[in-house]
Amino acid sequence: MDTSNSHEIETTPLIPAKNSKKLKTPLPKLQIGILISLHLAEPIASTSIFPYINQLIRELGITGGDDAAVGYYAGIIESLFFAAQALTVLRWGRLSDRIGRKPVLVIGLSGACISILCFGLSTTFWSLVISRCLCGFLNGNVGVMKTMMGELTDSTNMAQAFALFPIVGSIGSFIGPLIGGTLARPQDRWPVLFANAFWEKFPYFLPCAVAACLFVLAVLMMSIFLEETLPTKRRPKSTSAMLGISSDELLPQQSMAYTPLRSLLTPSVVIPIANFGLLALLDIAFRALLPLLFSTPTHLGGLGFDPATIGSWLAVFGITSGIFQALFFARIVDWIGPKRLFCVSVSCYVPLMAMFPIMSWIVRARGEVDHAITFALLCLTGLQLPWFMAFGAIFMFITASAPTNNVLGAINGLGQTSASVARVVGPTLATSLFAVSKEHNLLGGNAVFVVLIVLAGGLRWLASQLPDEVQDRDE
């Protein structure tokens, strides 16, 4: 009898260790690189209008000379994009489950290209409104791109991939305003090159044209290099080789793409989407209140910053967040898991909001904006780093909640719909509460922050309802 062999057999565990970690699947770098490049065109285009939108509204005479109303109209124009997107993004997601991801992306990117050109050619308030609504109606790109990212990854490498979305957003938010601010009114900067009467009539067309060119390049690159990820629409060879799906399995998966939406609304789907919606609401409220606090005069409890200082601090927040996510998001997910990371991240919203009244108190106590405020802003910068990691974590849960890839577009569409609705409501809710709090001195002018902290408590409870682990859809 071979004792060494029997010993080897006896010491081999019958059941594999439950906590043993899977080996990480290598990322398909080329496909993810193309997908991220496509995504980069969106934030560049959307933020390129920020440097000149207020001046454009003044020059078109929309406010009738009332400069105080400029911000109101600028806010309407931006909110209309999210309102239009909320109405259609789910339909684009469901359509991508039926006809494929690439055709929907072609429509979305082409629509964004046309709408930004229309924006540059607008000479009335209503033409601005129509161009932004057109962009929102035709724009299901972000949800479809997240769907494709989910199909290109699994539970072992999803964190690495989804960390790229916030990084691209930070880069786009840096490049976009640079393009808009530099190329607006080119006839004033380079009168020899842009002496034509066209540029006098449409002084903001050049930055829109550059953004449109990026969309054209994105469509060309996607058409040539990006592979379809929907299993039922992939070429037979790549479907069986890369995804391990037999032709017998494709028919039931294809039928799931036509599943009634109500049947998808199970707790495992609704809970991550509810978390994403409330997260988006609190985040857009924070983004709306931050420049408002910065610009409000010190005697009203603000910091009284000028536009250049506001822009500098917002740039610091964006750059530090992007770099931090690139370096640490995937490592932290591997270390503590996505649920624990999400819970820690949303818990940071309470001290984040508490910093607002603290900074107001510092200004009132010291009578000026000095190094103490600089230190407080650095603390705020540190607190917003874990907060923004919540987005990457919740994207993982939403992607994993889909029962099959063939309803993943619908699931991401639901998620983007909830976020779009939140981004319509959030700025108005936050800024209105801020104004009422200051005007009536509710809780010392800090009622808005108390309300948002209570909502953050609700989000923390919702976070506890998420599953403990992100599972692959085939498990």
Side-chain angles (χ1 to χ4, degrees):
M1 182 176 178
D2 190 347
T3 56
S4 63
N5 194 33
S6 65
H7 177 74
E8 187 178 331
I9 293 171
E10 287 171 6
T11 56
T12 303
L14 295 176
I15 301 173
K18 200 170 186 179
N19 294 329
S20 60
K21 286 190 175 181
K22 289 183 181 179
L23 292 174
K24 273 195 176 181
T25 308
L27 286 173
K29 293 178 182 175
L30 176 61
Q31 292 301 300
I32 286 179
I34 295 167
L35 198 59
I36 288 300
S37 300
L38 301 182
H39 182 45
L40 182 60
E42 297 247 352
I44 289 177
S46 62
T47 59
S48 67
I49 71 173
F50 291 165
Y52 61 81
I53 180 64
N54 292 334
Q55 189 174 354
L56 174 59
I57 288 171
R58 287 191 193 97
E59 292 176 2
L60 293 180
I62 294 169
T63 63
D66 182 8
D67 285 349
V70 168
Y72 169 74
Y73 283 98
I76 287 177
I77 289 170
E78 190 54 30
S79 294
L80 283 171
F81 166 80
F82 291 114
Q85 188 184 56
L87 294 174
T88 59
V89 69
L90 175 57
R91 296 184 182 276
W92 290 120
R94 297 224 76 182
L95 185 63
S96 77
D97 288 335
R98 299 172 185 177
I99 67 172
R101 316 303 183 197
K102 285 182 67 174
V104 174
L105 277 184
V106 169
I107 296 169
L109 292 170
S110 301
C113 178
I114 294 167
S115 68
I116 195 70
L117 288 174
C118 292
F119 193 88
L121 295 171
S122 296
T123 55
T124 65
F125 174 68
W126 287 110
S127 57
L128 291 174
V129 166
I130 290 169
S131 66
R132 292 304 287 161
C133 286
L134 178 67
C135 188
F137 281 132
L138 296 177
N139 196 321
N141 298 342
V142 176
V144 175
M145 287 178 187
K146 289 174 185 173
T147 298
M148 294 186 79
M149 189 69 83
E151 289 170 328
L152 289 168
T153 58
D154 57 32
S155 61
T156 66
N157 56 14
M158 197 182 290
Q160 290 175 284
F162 277 101
L164 298 172
F165 279 110
I167 298 166
V168 169
S170 298
I171 295 171
S173 299
F174 174 75
I175 297 174
L178 192 63
I179 290 174
T182 304
L183 301 182
R185 302 192 63 85
Q187 73 277 15
D188 296 341
R189 289 174 173 267
W190 307 285
V192 176
L193 292 174
F194 300 93
N196 194 291
F198 175 86
W199 302 108
E200 290 290 339
K201 186 176 181 181
F202 306 108
Y204 302 101
F205 180 74
L206 185 59
C208 294
V210 171
C213 287
L214 294 177
F215 283 121
V216 171
L217 287 173
V219 171
L220 290 174
M221 183 169 60
M222 181 197 66
S223 302
I224 298 170
F225 299 110
L226 188 65
E227 295 180 6
E228 177 61 65
T229 58
L230 183 65
T232 55
K233 297 298 178 181
R234 290 177 66 99
R235 291 188 299 274
K237 284 186 180 179
S238 57
T239 299
S240 58
M242 293 186 68
L243 297 178
I245 298 173
S246 67
S247 57
D248 292 337
E249 291 175 310
L250 289 179
L251 286 175
Q253 283 197 21
Q254 193 166 18
S255 67
M256 283 202 73
Y258 297 88
T259 303
L261 188 62
R262 184 172 295 180
S263 66
L264 296 177
L265 299 179
T266 60
S268 61
V269 171
V270 171
I271 290 171
I273 289 173
N275 274 276
F276 185 31
L278 190 49
L279 178 70
L281 176 70
L282 292 173
D283 180 65
I284 201 70
F286 169 70
R287 290 174 184 271
L289 288 174
L290 196 59
L292 192 57
L293 179 79
F294 284 172
S295 61
T296 300
T298 53
H299 69 274
L300 293 176
L303 303 185
F305 286 167
D306 57 41
T309 306
I310 294 173
S312 298
W313 276 107
L314 292 180
V316 168
F317 290 160
I319 291 168
T320 53
S321 177
I323 293 173
F324 188 82
Q325 296 230 30
L327 295 177
F328 300 111
F329 178 76
R331 295 180 185 180
I332 295 174
V333 169
D334 287 342
W335 177 36
I336 65 174
K339 180 177 180 178
R340 196 171 297 171
L341 172 60
F342 186 75
C343 291
V344 170
S345 296
V346 300
S347 299
C348 289
Y349 197 78
V350 174
L352 201 63
M353 282 295 104
M355 288 304 298
F356 283 72
I358 288 172
M359 287 189 287
S360 296
W361 174 78
I362 291 172
V363 171
R364 284 196 301 269
R366 301 178 72 90
E368 61 177 345
V369 175
D370 57 8
H371 61 274
I373 288 295
T374 302
F375 178 75
L377 286 170
L378 291 174
C379 292
L380 191 70
T381 304
L383 286 169
Q384 56 99 33
L385 296 178
W387 164 252
F388 287 132
M389 285 199 295
F391 284 95
I394 200 62
F395 293 159
M396 294 173 64
F397 282 105
I398 291 173
T399 299
S401 70
T404 71
N405 284 347
N406 292 73
V407 293
L408 188 52
I411 301 300
N412 273 304
L414 282 168
Q416 284 302 125
T417 300
S418 69
S420 296
V421 170
R423 285 163 182 157
V424 173
V425 175
T428 304
L429 175 68
T431 54
S432 300
L433 280 173
F434 183 87
V436 171
S437 299
K438 296 296 181 185
E439 184 179 349
H440 299 285
N441 198 33
L442 299 177
L443 298 177
N446 299 317
V448 57
F449 308 119
V450 174
V451 170
L452 291 174
I453 285 172
V454 170
L455 288 175
L459 178 58
R460 178 60 184 83
W461 176 82
L462 265 178
S464 68
Q465 306 304 303
L466 290 167
D468 292 333
E469 296 291 339
V470 171
Q471 297 291 333
D472 287 333
R473 284 178 294 282
D474 56 354
E475 289 185 352

